[in-house]
Amino acid sequence: GLALGHGRPAAAPPPQPASASASSSSSSSGEGGSRAPDTSLFVPVPLKPGPGGAAGEDVGAELTRPLDKGEVLKNLNKFYKRKEIQRLGAENGLDARLFHQAFISFRKYIMESSSVSADLHIILNDICCDAGKVCPAGHVDDLFPFFLRHAKQIFPMLDCMDDLRKISDLRLPPNWYPDARAIQRKIIFHAGPTNSGKTYHAIQRFLSAKSGIYCGPLKLLAHEIFQKTNDANVPCDLVTGEERVYANEDARQAPHIACTIEMCSTNIPYEVAVIDEIQMIRDPARGWAWTRALLGLCAEEIHVCGEAAAIDLVTELMYTTGEEVEVRNYKRLTPLTVLDYALESLDNLRPGDCIVCFSKNDIYSVSRQIEARGLECAVIYGSLPPGTKLEQAKKFNDPDDPCKILVATDAIGMGLNLCIRRIIFNSIVKPTVNEKGEKEIDSIPTSQALQIAGRAGRFGSSFQQGEVTTMHRDDLMQLKEILSEAVPPVKAAGLHPTPEQIEMFAYHLPDATLSNLIDIFVSLSQVDGMYFVCNIDDFKFLADMIQHIPLNLRSRYVFCTAPLNRKEPFVCTTLLKFARQFSRNEPLTFDWLCRHTKWPLAAPKNIKELVHLEAVHDVFDLYLWLSYRFMDMFPDAALVRDIQKKLDDIIQIGVRNITKLIRASQSAAAPGTAEVVSEDFPLSRTTRDARVASDRHGAKSPEALSIAVETPALRRARNTRASRSGVRQEDLKSYGRGSLANRLLREGLLTQEMLRQLESEWQDQHRNGRYGFGSKRDDQHSSKETGKKRK
């Protein structure tokens, strides 16, 4: 079979037995038997009206007489209104929605056909001609068999609903892995917080085994284990979605493999397997990969590493396989202290500090302010290439390098070894996507806060004690509360549909689109209470994007599981071009890719160019990922890998000079648009807090609105940072006014019409000499009060 897996954090799955959508609304527990399907997902297959006989003959008319279409229409509508017919339809799987759609199609088919089948013609003739007779030869109810036949033609799923339910029945995932069920595996759960040595002990057993596989969530982690294993003179291969590196020069498979978890094989036997970060089994997008590894790996010993919150779920899952779990608990190796004071000013930074931000704009802003103080800082965020992240980490860790400050996103939570003395949360709210795919701004969960905070004071580094605090005083108490809370237990494991399951669906529903097949699969799927179906929005987005391109189903599925960020237009456009050229059976050569990406590329001069280079790096990743699945069509992987390394070096140059790029971007921007790059989740406070603040102040203009939303965080930044760091108040006002309006528009909290109204009202207030934040009603009230006093 095709290996469709990959090593990127946020992508769809390979052909493993599992299924799709984290929302509870799109999965069912299956305990109460099969449920009614979501018929809104059933797309009718269009049927063209009948053209008549072979020689334009109408056999039915010859046997009886031509139909009076007016009478036919009258009797069809009578047929539709009969309660008995609606009841018969429901008994045959036609709910009200499907019954209505089927009737509209049936009526149109009859009325627009130049002729219908002889038997239907005779029935219609009997009904229409004998209407009003005491003993008519035909009755409208006689149309039902023809109507039902038509309904099953336009809704083919009605004839195979039982088969579709069986295909989408996900209630016994352990049975999908007969090789693993054929052996008695020993499960050891290494539970503990960050920096407790849990993974170290599992890796020691991995190194001592005759054969083993390490499964990690990130390419960086897999690469680290690959290097450490080979450094220990244990031959080990590296396998990620985009890369294969063999320990042996003749490309023979080594007995040990370090891979991203999506790429692990469930067919090859090993002595020891290590599954890292097991708590990610609850991840709405990638949880299926941990479920598959846990249930399917053929290893005598499975060493599971992660948070203690996952112990109960893993134990329950292993109970269904008849395997016991041995739990080994670990405590943190170095002390971690939550400080009683916030940083409050960047003037208080010390060597070994790491400021954690949750948006690129905050990264840019903070790094520029640090540079303004004459300090060097390293920068790490998620969309940087792995090589650039490692280079920035090396720069920060080097005791001889003048760079002693790190500014990073939560990308440092795993995958990088960093010598951090103190973690400083720039904010404790983070943008997230809920189960329905909606954007939310909320406090960071305890699990993530502990993982990030735990990076301070790493065992074996120059800092043997870690410290944690916040940038702002108001956030410190809430951070303490978050860190003191117990991590909620992991309650369910993810699943996702496989290509084999989708192919079986397509066999029964040949006219349905891939996106529609997935929707119907999820709608019909049944899962046990210990499982959920992972989110399929990215998969469906790509399926819809390439639907018009002629591809066979298996190739289409592979393209839809490609690891890309759908919010990057350049990468999405490239995938579309890849698919189009692939469909024409034209190989995607190195020269073609260079023309498309305009390679060679120069070092970036501003942030916009840096962001584009990161997108080009993702395009090269996409090419390499596809090259391992369609080698003949993507033949130049070696050449692409070479230029990708060169591009990584160019991006490193840009990141080293990131503050210069920020200055160039801001000087080139129009007044009032100081935002250096658009973001998906821009607000630094919860949406709820923003609305409350806005209502409390009665904000009437972009400026007033910005002040309302800033309270208390951005206003504190305006007062504290500006006064202590020498940043001009005017610049901060300009930044707040310009970027906030754009941000609120993107978040849906403000419409263009509302913005125009706010601007108009602000100008009216400006002309009238009123600059307060009160509403017009308040202003009128105060005017009346003033008038009374004057009287």
Side-chain angles (χ1 to χ4, degrees), residues 373-406:
R373 289 163 167 76
L375 302 172
E376 281 193 45
C377 67
V379 173
I380 296 174
Y381 51 87
S383 59
L384 285 177
T388 305
K389 290 178 185 173
L390 290 171
E391 191 262 350
Q392 289 290 298
K394 182 179 178 182
K395 178 182 177 183
F396 174 69
N397 289 339
D398 186 354
D400 298 324
D401 195 292
C403 172
K404 301 300 179 188
I405 308 295
L406 175 63

Side-chain angles (χ1 to χ4, degrees), residues 77-310:
N77 290 335
K78 189 185 297 182
F79 168 83
Y80 174 71
K81 293 175 182 177
R82 282 183 59 76
K83 297 294 183 185
E84 293 85 350
I85 295 299
Q86 294 174 13
R87 179 179 53 78
L88 279 172
E91 290 175 1
N92 286 273
L94 292 168
D95 63 7
R97 181 198 302 272
L98 295 186
F99 182 84
H100 177 74
Q101 285 183 286
F103 173 74
I104 296 297
S105 176
F106 182 59
R107 185 177 64 185
K108 181 179 180 183
Y109 177 80
I110 292 175
M111 298 303 294
E112 295 183 4
S113 293
S114 56
S115 68
V116 294
S117 63
D119 53 352
L120 176 57
H121 184 108
I122 293 169
I123 293 293
L124 286 169
N125 181 71
D126 290 347
I127 295 170
C128 294
C129 293
D130 293 350
K133 291 185 179 180
V134 178
C135 297
H139 189 277
V140 289
D141 289 1
D142 298 340
L143 287 173
F144 184 78
F146 301 95
F147 167 72
L148 185 61
R149 182 175 66 189
H150 182 91
K152 289 183 176 181
Q153 284 180 303
I154 67 169
F155 294 116
M157 61 284 295
L158 295 174
D159 249 350
C160 55
M161 193 60 69
D162 288 341
D163 290 332
L164 296 179
R165 288 188 191 279
K166 288 175 184 176
I167 297 167
S168 58
D169 191 340
L170 308 176
R171 285 177 291 185
L172 294 170
N175 293 352
W176 303 340
Y177 308 101
D179 292 343
R181 299 292 76 77
I183 61 175
Q184 188 64 29
R185 306 180 306 170
K186 182 180 180 181
I187 314 296
I188 298 103
F189 195 124
H190 301 265
T194 305
N195 199 16
S196 61
K198 57 185 184 297
T199 307
Y200 169 82
H201 286 89
I203 294 299
Q204 292 304 112
R205 179 67 187 96
F206 168 80
L207 292 173
S208 66
K210 293 178 183 177
S211 64
I213 181 170
Y214 167 84
C215 307
L218 300 173
K219 286 188 286 187
L220 283 173
L221 281 170
H223 198 273
E224 179 187 346
I225 299 302
F226 162 74
Q227 286 187 322
K228 285 183 176 179
T229 307
N230 284 295
D231 290 346
N233 294 319
V234 177
C236 179
D237 295 342
L238 174 67
V239 179
T240 70
E242 300 82 8
E243 190 174 18
R244 308 286 189 283
V245 181
Y246 296 99
N248 300 312
E249 293 181 0
D250 58 358
R252 281 184 299 107
Q253 185 170 311
H256 286 71
I257 291 178
C259 67
T260 44
I261 194 159
E262 287 89 349
M263 296 304 296
C264 69
S265 169
T266 57
N267 302 318
I268 301 172
Y270 300 99
E271 182 183 347
V272 170
V274 177
I275 304 175
D276 207 358
E277 305 293 351
I278 187 62
Q279 70 276 1
M280 289 189 71
I281 200 169
R282 67 182 164 204
D283 188 84
R286 298 178 69 203
W288 61 267
W290 276 263
T291 305
R292 172 178 170 267
L294 182 64
L295 297 177
L297 281 173
C298 291
E300 297 169 25
E301 292 181 23
I302 308 281
H303 290 258
V304 178
C305 307
E307 296 175 3

Side-chain angles (χ1 to χ4, degrees), residues 430-694:
K430 182 191 176 184
T432 57
V433 176
N434 65 18
E435 292 119 5
K436 297 179 182 178
E438 299 166 339
K439 293 183 289 187
E440 292 181 342
I441 307 290
D442 208 349
S443 299
I444 54 174
T446 298
S447 174
Q448 187 176 32
L450 288 169
Q451 187 151 35
I452 295 171
R455 307 302 286 176
R458 186 172 66 89
F459 181 76
S461 72
S462 52
F463 303 112
Q464 289 300 298
Q465 179 170 342
E467 297 175 343
V468 185
T469 189
T470 57
M471 175 66 74
H472 311 299
R473 191 185 310 165
D474 292 353
D475 293 336
L476 186 56
M477 187 58 66
Q478 190 174 351
L479 177 65
K480 288 183 176 182
E481 291 175 4
I482 291 171
L483 293 174
S484 65
E485 291 174 358
V487 178
V490 180
K491 294 182 178 178
L495 300 173
H496 196 287
T498 71
E500 291 79 13
Q501 290 167 327
I502 299 305
E503 279 179 340
M504 286 190 282
F505 253 56
Y507 172 79
H508 291 291
L509 307 174
D511 296 304
T513 66
L514 179 55
S515 177
N516 189 230
L517 285 174
I518 288 283
D519 273 337
I520 295 172
F521 184 99
V522 175
S523 169
L524 294 176
S525 65
Q526 298 179 73
V527 296
D528 290 327
M530 290 185 291
Y531 300 94
F532 67 90
V533 187
C534 285
N535 189 290
I536 51 164
D537 290 345
D538 288 346
F539 184 97
K540 285 177 55 185
F541 171 81
L542 296 180
D544 290 334
M545 188 175 75
I546 64 172
Q547 180 56 41
H548 66 286
I549 298 174
L551 295 168
N552 65 57
L553 184 67
R554 182 58 71 106
S555 297
R556 189 180 299 279
Y557 185 98
V558 175
F559 273 95
C560 291
T561 60
L564 58 78
N565 181 354
R566 61 173 170 164
K567 296 180 178 69
E568 293 181 353
F570 182 70
V571 184
C572 292
T573 302
T574 303
L575 178 74
L576 197 59
K577 291 183 177 180
F578 281 173
R580 190 175 290 120
Q581 185 126 336
F582 181 95
S583 71
R584 295 195 292 258
N585 206 30
E586 298 175 5
L588 290 112
T589 63
F590 176 75
D591 290 339
W592 183 95
L593 187 64
C594 289
R595 286 196 303 272
H596 174 66
T597 58
K598 296 181 171 57
W599 181 265
L601 295 163
K605 299 183 182 67
N606 53 48
I607 290 295
K608 185 177 179 181
E609 291 183 7
L610 176 61
V611 171
H612 177 68
L613 291 181
E614 292 168 6
V616 173
H617 192 280
D618 287 344
V619 165
F620 292 164
D621 259 349
L622 179 61
Y623 184 98
L624 294 171
W625 189 88
L626 289 165
S627 73
Y628 283 108
R629 288 139 186 90
F630 307 111
M631 294 183 184
D632 294 341
M633 298 301 292
F634 296 83
D636 296 329
L639 294 172
V640 173
R641 197 175 305 285
D642 288 340
I643 63 172
Q644 189 183 43
K645 290 176 182 174
K646 294 176 182 176
L647 178 58
D648 202 330
D649 293 338
I650 295 171
I651 292 174
Q652 288 179 30
I653 293 170
V655 174
R656 282 197 294 266
N657 299 309
I658 195 163
T659 52
K660 294 178 183 176
L661 305 188
I662 296 168
R663 282 200 300 273
S665 299
Q666 293 182 334
S667 62
T673 56
E675 186 177 13
V676 290
V677 66
S678 67
E679 294 184 64
D680 302 319
F681 306 108
L683 295 180
S684 61
R685 283 285 169 193
T686 63
T687 306
R688 178 181 56 79
D689 290 345
R691 288 178 179 146
V692 169
S694 179

Side-chain angles (χ1 to χ4, degrees), residues 343-377:
L343 188 72
E344 299 197 70
S345 170
L346 295 177
D347 292 330
N348 299 324
L349 287 172
R350 292 179 291 179
D353 280 350
C354 171
I355 301 176
V356 177
C357 307
F358 294 113
S359 75
K360 272 190 184 179
N361 277 344
D362 286 346
I363 289 272
Y364 300 147
S365 174
V366 171
S367 59
R368 182 176 178 183
Q369 290 180 58
I370 290 173
E371 191 231 33
R373 289 163 167 76
L375 302 172
E376 281 193 45
C377 67

Side-chain angles (χ1 to χ4, degrees), residues 44-57:
V45 177
L47 286 182
K48 294 182 180 179
E57 301 171 353

